[in-house]
Amino acid sequence: VSCYLISGALGHTQWWLPDITHTAINIPSSYIFRIGMLPSSRALAVTWWLTCSMIDRLRPSAPTGTILGLGVTASCCLIVSSSVLEADGVSWTVHVVCATSFFILTWIAQLLTTLSLRQAYARDHTCLSSGSIKAKTSLTVIVFVLLLVDAFSGLLAAHSKFPLGNVCEWTMTILIISYNLTYIGDFGNRLTASALFAKPSAAKRLVDSSIAI
């Protein structure tokens, strides 16, 4: 948002509606974007670790290793996609592949997370709130629809000046953040919190083994 406001105020991009990438190409927006991207990506990776630790307690048979791998890979893609943004030239192939991979991998991880938590909730309604389950389910469905719309937005661009792809990109970003915010209630749940930090989970063991290697 800061990059959007600065790039718009300086005339680097139009107010309605640039894609996220172009708001972060020119100085000083590029500095802010890069400074913020590393801790943000790290925070996403840590959130995935906490999430998988929680799921591992609530539903031991869930594919937490896959979820964690997808989530962390998506976070790394975000770092790479931002590192190639330069005012004098952008490596568009690398950026587009990594940025697209971030959205797709994140959605797959969130889908698996939602399915796992729904199954855990079906077995024990006290482990999570119904509001959390409904929010995660709704957000996962909406992001999936936006991914499909974004995939076909390029075909519509030739017939309309409406920045449909940019709208999808901004909206998906907001919804991914919103999905992560639903964990606030989950991690604050007494039963979930006690399960989360009870003992090393499979997800934690996967991270520890990766670090050791």
Side-chain angles (χ1 to χ4, degrees), residues 80-81 83-86 88-98:
V80 175
S81 69
S83 67
V84 297
L85 301 181
E86 297 286 349
D88 58 350
V90 177
S91 180
W92 286 110
T93 300
V94 174
H95 174 75
V96 171
V97 169
C98 289

Side-chain angles (χ1 to χ4, degrees), residues 29-180:
S29 300
S30 58
Y31 294 151
I32 297 173
F33 193 76
R34 289 186 178 183
I35 291 172
M37 192 55 66
L38 187 58
S40 297
S41 299
R42 183 180 178 85
L44 287 174
V46 170
T47 300
W48 281 117
W49 176 78
L50 291 173
T51 300
C52 289
S53 297
M54 176 181 68
I55 296 174
D56 200 44
R57 299 303 166 203
L58 299 178
R59 186 174 178 270
S61 60
T64 50
T66 300
I67 295 172
L68 183 61
L70 290 169
V72 172
T73 301
S75 301
C76 293
C77 286
L78 201 59
I79 296 175
V80 175
S81 69
S82 65
S83 67
V84 297
L85 301 181
E86 297 286 349
D88 58 350
V90 177
S91 180
W92 286 110
T93 300
V94 174
H95 174 75
V96 171
V97 169
C98 289
T100 302
S101 296
F102 165 75
F103 285 111
I104 294 176
L105 295 178
T106 296
W107 178 79
I108 295 174
Q110 289 182 342
L111 173 64
L112 295 175
T113 296
T114 301
L115 293 175
S116 298
L117 292 179
R118 284 178 64 89
Q119 292 171 351
Y121 180 76
R123 294 173 54 187
D124 181 6
H125 283 16
T126 64
C127 67
L128 296 167
S129 69
S130 61
S132 172
I133 296 298
K134 291 177 181 178
K136 288 180 176 63
T137 302
S138 299
L139 291 169
T140 301
V141 172
I142 295 172
V143 170
F144 175 66
V145 173
L146 289 173
L147 282 172
L148 293 179
V149 173
D150 190 36
F152 291 100
S153 63
L155 300 177
L156 301 176
H159 306 285
S160 174
K161 293 183 179 181
F162 184 78
L164 181 59
N166 297 349
V167 171
C168 290
E169 182 182 86
W170 282 98
T171 305
M172 285 190 292
T173 300
I174 294 172
L175 293 181
I176 288 173
I177 295 173
S178 299
Y179 188 101
N180 288 334

